[in-house]
Short mmCIF file of all heavy atoms in Angstrom, two decimals:
data_model
loop_
_atom_site.label_atom_id
_atom_site.label_comp_id
_atom_site.label_asym_id
_atom_site.label_seq_id
_atom_site.Cartn_x
_atom_site.Cartn_y
_atom_site.Cartn_z
N CYS R 26 -22.81 16.02 -12.35
CA CYS R 26 -22.82 16.42 -10.94
C CYS R 26 -22.83 15.20 -10.02
O CYS R 26 -22.13 15.17 -9.00
CB CYS R 26 -24.04 17.28 -10.65
SG CYS R 26 -23.93 18.95 -11.36
N ALA R 27 -23.61 14.19 -10.39
CA ALA R 27 -23.68 12.98 -9.58
C ALA R 27 -22.32 12.29 -9.54
O ALA R 27 -21.87 11.81 -8.50
CB ALA R 27 -24.74 12.03 -10.13
N TRP R 28 -21.66 12.23 -10.72
CA TRP R 28 -20.33 11.62 -10.78
C TRP R 28 -19.33 12.39 -9.92
O TRP R 28 -18.59 11.83 -9.13
CB TRP R 28 -19.86 11.60 -12.24
CG TRP R 28 -18.38 11.44 -12.36
CD1 TRP R 28 -17.67 10.29 -12.23
CD2 TRP R 28 -17.43 12.48 -12.60
NE1 TRP R 28 -16.33 10.53 -12.38
CE2 TRP R 28 -16.15 11.87 -12.61
CE3 TRP R 28 -17.52 13.85 -12.80
CZ2 TRP R 28 -15.00 12.60 -12.81
CZ3 TRP R 28 -16.37 14.56 -13.03
CH2 TRP R 28 -15.13 13.95 -13.02
N SER R 29 -19.34 13.73 -10.07
CA SER R 29 -18.40 14.57 -9.32
C SER R 29 -18.65 14.45 -7.83
O SER R 29 -17.71 14.37 -7.04
CB SER R 29 -18.53 16.02 -9.78
OG SER R 29 -17.65 16.85 -9.05
N ASN R 30 -19.91 14.41 -7.44
CA ASN R 30 -20.25 14.31 -6.03
C ASN R 30 -19.80 12.97 -5.45
O ASN R 30 -19.31 12.90 -4.33
CB ASN R 30 -21.76 14.48 -5.84
CG ASN R 30 -22.14 14.61 -4.39
OD1 ASN R 30 -21.56 15.40 -3.65
ND2 ASN R 30 -23.14 13.84 -3.97
N SER R 31 -19.95 11.89 -6.23
CA SER R 31 -19.52 10.57 -5.76
C SER R 31 -18.02 10.53 -5.52
O SER R 31 -17.55 10.00 -4.51
CB SER R 31 -19.91 9.49 -6.78
OG SER R 31 -21.30 9.36 -6.87
N LEU R 32 -17.25 11.09 -6.44
CA LEU R 32 -15.80 11.10 -6.28
C LEU R 32 -15.39 11.98 -5.09
O LEU R 32 -14.51 11.61 -4.31
CB LEU R 32 -15.13 11.61 -7.56
CG LEU R 32 -13.61 11.44 -7.63
CD1 LEU R 32 -13.23 9.96 -7.57
CD2 LEU R 32 -13.05 12.07 -8.90
N TYR R 33 -16.06 13.12 -4.96
CA TYR R 33 -15.78 14.03 -3.84
C TYR R 33 -16.05 13.31 -2.52
O TYR R 33 -15.25 13.39 -1.58
CB TYR R 33 -16.66 15.27 -3.98
CG TYR R 33 -16.59 16.24 -2.83
CD1 TYR R 33 -15.57 17.20 -2.76
CD2 TYR R 33 -17.53 16.20 -1.80
CE1 TYR R 33 -15.50 18.09 -1.70
CE2 TYR R 33 -17.46 17.09 -0.74
CZ TYR R 33 -16.45 18.03 -0.70
OH TYR R 33 -16.38 18.91 0.35
N GLN R 34 -17.17 12.60 -2.45
CA GLN R 34 -17.51 11.90 -1.21
C GLN R 34 -16.53 10.76 -0.93
O GLN R 34 -16.17 10.52 0.22
CB GLN R 34 -18.94 11.36 -1.30
CG GLN R 34 -20.00 12.45 -1.25
CD GLN R 34 -21.40 11.90 -1.38
OE1 GLN R 34 -21.62 10.82 -1.89
NE2 GLN R 34 -22.37 12.67 -0.92
N ALA R 35 -16.11 10.06 -1.99
CA ALA R 35 -15.13 8.97 -1.80
C ALA R 35 -13.82 9.51 -1.23
O ALA R 35 -13.20 8.88 -0.36
CB ALA R 35 -14.89 8.26 -3.13
N ARG R 36 -13.39 10.67 -1.72
CA ARG R 36 -12.17 11.28 -1.20
C ARG R 36 -12.30 11.60 0.29
O ARG R 36 -11.41 11.30 1.09
CB ARG R 36 -11.86 12.57 -1.95
CG ARG R 36 -11.41 12.40 -3.39
CD ARG R 36 -11.38 13.75 -4.06
NE ARG R 36 -11.02 13.70 -5.47
CZ ARG R 36 -11.28 14.68 -6.33
NH1 ARG R 36 -11.89 15.79 -5.92
NH2 ARG R 36 -10.91 14.56 -7.60
N HIS R 37 -13.40 12.23 0.66
CA HIS R 37 -13.57 12.65 2.05
C HIS R 37 -13.82 11.47 2.98
O HIS R 37 -13.36 11.47 4.13
CB HIS R 37 -14.69 13.69 2.15
CG HIS R 37 -14.25 15.06 1.73
ND1 HIS R 37 -13.75 15.98 2.61
CD2 HIS R 37 -14.18 15.63 0.51
CE1 HIS R 37 -13.41 17.08 1.97
NE2 HIS R 37 -13.65 16.90 0.69
N LEU R 38 -14.52 10.45 2.49
CA LEU R 38 -14.70 9.25 3.30
C LEU R 38 -13.36 8.55 3.53
O LEU R 38 -13.13 7.98 4.60
CB LEU R 38 -15.68 8.30 2.61
CG LEU R 38 -17.16 8.72 2.68
CD1 LEU R 38 -17.98 7.91 1.67
CD2 LEU R 38 -17.71 8.50 4.09
N THR R 39 -12.47 8.61 2.53
CA THR R 39 -11.13 8.04 2.69
C THR R 39 -10.38 8.77 3.80
O THR R 39 -9.71 8.13 4.64
CB THR R 39 -10.35 8.16 1.37
OG1 THR R 39 -10.98 7.36 0.37
CG2 THR R 39 -8.90 7.70 1.54
N GLN R 40 -10.48 10.08 3.84
CA GLN R 40 -9.83 10.85 4.90
C GLN R 40 -10.41 10.48 6.27
O GLN R 40 -9.66 10.32 7.24
CB GLN R 40 -10.01 12.34 4.64
CG GLN R 40 -9.29 12.85 3.40
CD GLN R 40 -9.61 14.30 3.09
OE1 GLN R 40 -10.37 14.94 3.80
NE2 GLN R 40 -9.02 14.81 2.03
N ASP R 41 -11.74 10.32 6.33
CA ASP R 41 -12.39 9.97 7.60
C ASP R 41 -11.96 8.57 8.05
O ASP R 41 -11.70 8.34 9.25
CB ASP R 41 -13.91 10.01 7.44
CG ASP R 41 -14.44 11.42 7.22
OD1 ASP R 41 -13.72 12.39 7.53
OD2 ASP R 41 -15.58 11.56 6.72
N ALA R 42 -11.90 7.63 7.10
CA ALA R 42 -11.52 6.26 7.45
C ALA R 42 -10.07 6.20 7.93
O ALA R 42 -9.74 5.50 8.90
CB ALA R 42 -11.71 5.35 6.24
N THR R 43 -9.20 6.95 7.25
CA THR R 43 -7.79 7.00 7.65
C THR R 43 -7.65 7.57 9.06
O THR R 43 -6.87 7.07 9.88
CB THR R 43 -6.99 7.85 6.65
OG1 THR R 43 -7.13 7.29 5.34
CG2 THR R 43 -5.52 7.90 7.03
N ARG R 44 -8.40 8.62 9.35
CA ARG R 44 -8.36 9.22 10.69
C ARG R 44 -8.87 8.22 11.74
O ARG R 44 -8.30 8.12 12.83
CB ARG R 44 -9.19 10.50 10.71
CG ARG R 44 -9.14 11.22 12.07
CD ARG R 44 -9.70 12.63 12.00
NE ARG R 44 -11.04 12.65 11.45
CZ ARG R 44 -11.36 13.12 10.24
NH1 ARG R 44 -10.41 13.58 9.43
NH2 ARG R 44 -12.60 13.11 9.80
N SER R 45 -9.93 7.48 11.43
CA SER R 45 -10.46 6.50 12.38
C SER R 45 -9.44 5.41 12.65
O SER R 45 -9.30 4.95 13.79
CB SER R 45 -11.75 5.88 11.82
OG SER R 45 -12.78 6.85 11.76
N GLU R 46 -8.71 4.99 11.62
CA GLU R 46 -7.65 4.00 11.83
C GLU R 46 -6.56 4.56 12.73
O GLU R 46 -6.08 3.88 13.66
CB GLU R 46 -7.04 3.60 10.49
CG GLU R 46 -7.85 2.61 9.69
CD GLU R 46 -7.12 2.08 8.48
OE1 GLU R 46 -6.12 2.71 8.05
OE2 GLU R 46 -7.53 1.04 7.96
N ARG R 47 -6.17 5.80 12.45
CA ARG R 47 -5.09 6.43 13.22
C ARG R 47 -5.50 6.58 14.68
O ARG R 47 -4.66 6.46 15.59
CB ARG R 47 -4.76 7.79 12.61
CG ARG R 47 -3.55 8.46 13.21
CD ARG R 47 -3.12 9.65 12.38
NE ARG R 47 -4.18 10.65 12.24
CZ ARG R 47 -4.78 10.94 11.10
NH1 ARG R 47 -4.46 10.31 9.98
NH2 ARG R 47 -5.73 11.87 11.05
N GLU R 48 -6.77 6.84 14.92
CA GLU R 48 -7.27 7.03 16.29
C GLU R 48 -7.75 5.72 16.91
O GLU R 48 -8.41 5.73 17.94
CB GLU R 48 -8.37 8.08 16.27
CG GLU R 48 -7.86 9.46 15.85
CD GLU R 48 -8.97 10.49 15.69
OE1 GLU R 48 -10.17 10.12 15.83
OE2 GLU R 48 -8.64 11.66 15.41
#
Side-chain angles (χ1 to χ4, degrees):
C26 288
W28 160 78
S29 179
N30 189 48
S31 294
L32 191 62
Y33 175 83
Q34 290 178 338
R36 290 170 183 161
H37 281 269
L38 285 165
T39 295
Q40 294 174 1
D41 292 341
T43 302
R44 182 167 55 251
S45 293
E46 281 189 342
R47 188 169 58 247
E48 296 174 356

